[in-house]
Amino acid sequence: MTHASLTDTSHTDTSHTDTTELADTSQSGVLAQPYAGPGESGGPDPAGTLLRVEGLGVSFAQPGGRRRVRVLDDVALTVRAGEIVGIVGETGSGKTTLARAIAGLTAPDRGRVHLAGEDIAGLRGRARRRFRRVGAIQFIFQDPLRSLDPALTVGTSIGEGLAIAGSGSRAQRAERVADALRQVGLDPAVAGRLPAQISGGQRQRASIARAVISDPALLLCDEPVSALDASNRNHILLLLDELRQRLSVGIAVISHDLSTLAGIADRVVVLYRGRVVEDGPIAEVFARPRHPYTALLIASAPDIHGRDRHAAARLRPVGTSRDPASRRTGECVFAHRCRFATDACAETPPRRAATDHPGGDWVVACHHADTWRDELDTAPAPAASRKDFPT
Amino acid sequence: MPESAAGPAEVLLKVDGLRITVGGERTEAVRGVSFEVRRGEAVGIVGESGSGKTLACRSVLGVLAPGCAVSGGTIDFDGTSLVGLPRRGWEQLRGTRIAAVFQDPASYLNPSYPVGHQLAEQLRVKHGRARRDARADAVRLLAAMGLHDPERVYRQYPHQLSGGMLQRVVLAIAVSGDPELLIADEATTALDVTIQAEVLELLAGLRAERGLAVIAVSHDLAVIAEFCDRVLVFYAGELVEAGPTQAVLHAPRHPYTEALLRVASVGSWERRSLAVIDGQPPHVGAELPGCRFADRCAFATQQCRTRPVALTEQPDGRSVRCRRVDELALSGAGAATAAGAAS
């Protein structure tokens, strides 16, 4: 549902969980800590880096209150040309806000967004409009039935950007629309149909055609397949994989579904309550996560062979987890749900390169990244605690 | 698992030859489906959108949308025929003996009342509790659903709760009358994966404690694999395969089941090959002379296309709707680890 992905930015929805402690953090100046990028030594961008986000922070005013809700805090990530980066996190973790901030749809209050070396977060007025018209960053939404105008034919929607920018004659634009449709594996005749007249998978292809028509450098896909069933889902993922090779676009795919990302992404960025807790090569991260939250996510994913329920239960705190509202100022974002939290976790852990990845292609923000697993191996399986039902 | 020394439990729900038409007499979206649910058993239904799985569930609840109607077959719930059951009859079943949870919990709660009131109201109106008892029971039920600080949750409005919390509230309402059958239609689909795991564990606990039978509808085979004793595979309004979950998923006997498994997420984190099922299912209500899957099936022969195929009982206790069931050697989920899962 589009609802779910929009809750990230919805004030009412974040207010019940995030308000207090996030407001506290912003007041106490924790965010003023010096920013340390993920293994970045301040040198020039490595070859091929397309998008580089540094120290990105976004906060929203709370309705009726003076407090601000911090939705993203010190977020860093990079996407190379031709690379697919998965962004995973739960409802309210800031995934959608991150994509919107990268695209310039939400104004960040801190940090930088560099696209091909240019700081696009700082663009204002005419420069920003010009940047948008070029269409270097394109968005693909979850629900194409809602992101395509139901009253416009598919072709008109796809060519709308070109028409607004006034590029080419009508006939040239029609030809580019047909090209874009072919790029995404649709019959150009689909251009004459309304969104309601084609299937869900075809609609998502049409919205990808709308995105690629302007020859973008970066595609931001917000839950691109979660409205589709398994077969159509794989069709769309294959298409994204093909486009990154053919057009060498960088692609950021936001998803709450690990298996969607496992299918196509090269790297994964794990967000928890507005902070990046882990960032690394996806196959290795999923095989042996370094952050307890990533481990919990993976252990919670249902498995056709029957998930080991103890695996997830062993990663949850003993007894009931603490109320998130009780989070102390400056504490690690995950501490309230972490089985391995200690006194050290009262301080936000810095992102550090994983010990065997000194190059910085795998970073983790956990004080106990190297040790929590030892504790896990010795911990007994928790006994199922169940309360009585009223009879 | 509803295993008992006394052998298989008694049949609670028996659906026989169910036919459902949508939007007019001619369009048959469910075409003669039969299955049983025993007491305490969890039965999963899988299939693509439009396969008729939700319609079948809704007919068991008596909540088919306007324009949809049961046009044939019987539904028997513990001796009561549910087809054509009058309103009074439904009132005695629905919400008490048969309960349901759906994908979007927020749309089943009244946004203007605290969630606890809505749970207590159910306890008062449906189960005749006194006002004060209803409140105390509601708080205990919320606690039993693993909700932190149930007293506070009791007073909160739906918009103040997250999706996972709302789904727990809806589950509390569903099980408040101690139902015998719970229908869970994509009940965990909209939840975050960590919350989904917790809700599935909660449901498994409810089954174990209350002997609750569950019909779980999901497009996610992994959820079904984890939760259900038996699985029913729907395709284009028909049952194409049915049997014990592990057996069906690890050694499918219908080509469609195999195709579904090939495209599904199977919980393997290696970069998997992204398989697809070519083509589209037939239009809802399309009348085809032969197998409805034939156009997308790699094994289809001329005979498959021209003559109807019956669902046949197999010696291994499964039912398969395929003319070539004895000739085909199909592969299931994770052939490499099949040895570990053969139980």
Side-chain angles (χ1 to χ4, degrees):
Chain A
M1 297 176 324
T2 317
H3 273 101
S5 59
L6 289 178
T7 49
D8 294 15
T9 55
S10 130
H11 299 156
T12 46
D13 214 56
T14 42
S15 58
H16 72 274
T17 51
D18 292 6
T19 315
T20 0
E21 88 280 10
L22 286 174
D24 288 345
T25 13
S26 51
Q27 282 168 350
S28 70
V30 166
L31 305 175
Q33 282 176 352
Y35 161 70
E40 289 155 4
S41 48
D45 279 348
T49 297
L50 172 70
L51 175 77
R52 185 180 172 91
V53 174
E54 289 176 347
L56 193 72
V58 174
S59 63
F60 293 126
Q62 224 196 306
R66 276 146 305 184
R67 287 185 161 184
R68 292 181 74 80
V69 183
R70 180 145 292 283
V71 180
L72 290 180
D73 186 5
D74 191 21
V75 169
L77 67 95
T78 57
V79 180
R80 297 181 185 87
E83 184 181 47
I84 300 184
V85 173
I87 300 173
V88 70
E90 57 194 40
T91 315
S93 61
K95 308 186 290 288
T96 297
T97 306
L98 174 58
R100 291 177 60 88
I102 291 170
L105 299 172
T106 295
D109 49 17
R110 294 158 213 267
R112 287 174 298 278
V113 178
H114 288 275
L115 186 75
E118 188 189 1
D119 185 357
I120 54 172
L123 295 179
R124 294 288 177 272
R126 185 169 297 183
R128 177 151 134 178
R129 195 161 64 221
R130 195 180 311 123
F131 173 76
R132 282 197 181 161
R133 288 264 164 98
V134 171
I137 297 184
Q138 290 291 330
F139 228 111
I140 292 162
F141 297 94
Q142 173 177 11
D143 184 354
L145 196 56
R146 293 170 67 167
S147 61
L148 293 170
D149 188 328
L152 297 184
T153 63
V154 169
T156 312
S157 278
I158 294 173
E160 202 177 18
L162 299 180
I164 289 170
S167 60
S169 68
R170 188 178 290 258
Q172 283 168 328
R173 290 201 297 266
E175 189 42 48
R176 281 182 69 182
V177 168
D179 268 347
L181 284 167
R182 279 185 218 108
Q183 290 263 23
V184 299
L186 285 177
D187 183 343
V190 167
R193 308 259 202 100
L194 291 173
Q197 293 171 324
I198 59 179
S199 75
Q202 287 176 317
R203 276 197 291 269
Q204 195 58 297
R205 282 173 193 269
S207 52
I208 295 174
R210 182 178 61 174
V212 299
I213 197 168
S214 63
D215 201 10
L218 179 70
L219 289 180
L220 298 170
C221 310
D222 190 356
E223 299 279 5
V225 296
S226 48
L228 304 174
D229 61 27
S231 184
N232 277 318
R233 175 174 300 213
N234 289 358
H235 274 296
I236 296 298
L237 294 176
L238 283 171
L239 173 62
L240 291 176
D241 197 31
E242 190 191 318
L243 290 175
R244 60 103 160 244
Q245 286 168 17
R246 198 146 36 99
L247 311 177
S248 58
V249 286
I251 303 182
V253 181
I254 290 172
S255 181
H256 69 281
D257 178 29
L258 302 175
S259 67
T260 294
L261 299 179
I264 54 163
D266 304 306
R267 288 193 304 115
V268 64
V269 173
V270 184
L271 273 185
Y272 188 74
R273 297 169 76 87
R275 293 187 69 95
V276 173
V277 295
E278 186 157 6
D279 176 351
I282 194 163
E284 291 169 72
V285 170
F286 280 9
R288 193 174 166 84
R290 305 292 172 98
H291 195 284
Y293 174 62
T294 318
L296 176 64
L297 267 184
I298 289 162
S300 299
D303 181 347
I304 218 152
H305 304 297
R307 178 172 56 97
D308 174 10
R309 289 213 174 93
H310 291 313
R314 272 201 199 96
L315 291 160
R316 297 187 197 125
V318 187
T320 49
S321 58
R322 265 170 45 212
D323 187 345
S326 72
R327 183 175 164 242
R328 286 176 284 270
T329 304
E331 192 179 37
C332 167
V333 276
F334 188 57
H336 70 106
R337 268 176 86 184
C338 185
R339 189 189 182 98
F340 312 100
T342 62
D343 293 344
C345 305
E347 198 174 302
T348 296
R351 278 189 295 272
R352 273 192 291 247
T355 36
D356 48 350
H357 284 251
D361 65 330
W362 189 343
V363 293
V364 191
C366 175
H367 291 297
H368 306 301
D370 296 327
T371 52
W372 63 264
R373 215 174 263 280
D374 303 336
E375 218 178 303
L376 175 72
D377 293 338
T378 56
S385 64
R386 205 149 270 126
K387 290 130 204 154
D388 292 326
F389 286 94
T391 43
Chain B
M1 299 270 165
E3 279 151 22
S4 67
E10 120 193 48
V11 172
L12 178 66
L13 178 77
K14 186 172 170 62
V15 174
D16 195 17
L18 179 67
R19 292 179 178 274
I20 299 174
T21 53
V22 295
E25 305 275 302
R26 293 268 173 80
T27 317
E28 210 170 60
V30 173
R31 315 168 67 88
V33 165
S34 304
F35 63 91
E36 288 177 355
V37 180
R38 294 175 182 277
R39 283 190 186 276
E41 187 182 38
V43 174
I45 303 183
V46 296
E48 285 167 286
S49 357
S51 60
K53 50 193 200 301
T54 293
L55 280 174
C57 283
R58 289 188 161 262
S59 68
V60 174
L61 282 167
V63 290
L64 285 172
C68 304
V70 173
S71 58
T74 59
I75 307 173
D76 179 278
F77 177 78
D78 198 24
T80 308
S81 170
L82 301 188
V83 177
L85 188 70
R87 195 185 157 133
R88 286 186 66 123
W90 277 119
E91 279 170 6
Q92 286 165 15
L93 287 180
R94 209 161 41 207
T96 48
R97 299 184 66 195
I98 306 178
V101 275
F102 299 98
Q103 177 168 355
D104 180 13
S107 61
Y108 293 89
L109 291 168
N110 188 328
S112 323
Y113 289 96
V115 296
H117 290 201
Q118 301 182 49
L119 172 54
E121 181 185 34
Q122 173 81 359
L123 289 165
R124 279 193 295 115
V125 175
K126 273 282 189 201
H127 315 303
R129 296 302 153 76
R131 196 170 284 269
R132 186 174 299 173
D133 295 347
R135 189 185 198 287
D137 282 354
V139 171
R140 272 154 67 198
L141 259 173
L142 292 175
M145 295 300 137
L147 282 162
H148 189 84
D149 198 355
E151 283 284 352
R152 193 177 70 169
V153 172
Y154 185 93
R155 293 189 305 269
Q156 284 181 312
Y157 290 86
H159 77 270
Q160 294 174 300
L161 301 175
S162 67
M165 293 166 92
L166 285 175
Q167 196 61 289
R168 286 169 202 262
V169 170
V170 170
L171 257 177
I173 293 175
V175 302
S176 63
D178 211 355
E180 290 144 82
L181 177 64
L182 177 72
I183 295 178
D185 189 350
E186 302 280 8
T188 62
T189 305
L191 303 179
D192 289 315
V193 61
T194 54
I195 309 300
Q196 167 171 282
E198 291 176 21
V199 171
L200 285 174
E201 284 164 32
L202 173 64
L203 274 170
L206 289 172
R207 281 185 60 204
E209 277 163 38
R210 308 190 156 199
L212 182 65
V214 179
I215 299 178
V217 177
S218 180
H219 69 278
D220 188 343
L221 289 174
V223 168
I224 298 291
E226 231 171 63
F227 188 70
C228 295
D229 307 315
R230 282 196 305 122
V231 63
L232 312 173
V233 183
F234 275 53
Y235 183 76
E238 290 178 339
L239 200 52
V240 296
E241 179 160 5
T245 310
Q246 289 302 319
V248 170
L249 299 189
H250 289 285
R253 302 199 60 190
H254 192 283
Y256 177 65
T257 316
E258 186 199 41
L260 263 187
L261 282 162
R262 216 171 49 233
V263 302
S265 67
V266 291
S268 147
W269 303 124
E270 293 94 61
R271 192 176 188 119
R272 64 203 164 90
S273 58
L274 293 163
V276 296
I277 310 176
D278 285 322
Q280 294 293 325
H283 285 290
V284 172
E287 295 299 332
L288 303 175
C291 169
R292 298 177 76 73
F293 185 61
D295 276 351
R296 303 171 80 183
C297 179
F299 308 101
T301 63
Q302 195 48 39
Q303 271 209 325
C304 294
R305 293 174 212 278
T306 49
R307 302 234 303 268
V309 188
L311 189 70
T312 53
E313 292 269 340
Q314 300 297 310
D316 57 3
R318 287 155 67 175
S319 314
V320 184
R321 189 187 295 276
C322 178
R323 186 178 296 283
R324 303 187 62 193
V325 60
D326 293 324
E327 308 164 39
L328 302 180
L330 306 175
S331 55
T337 52
S343 57

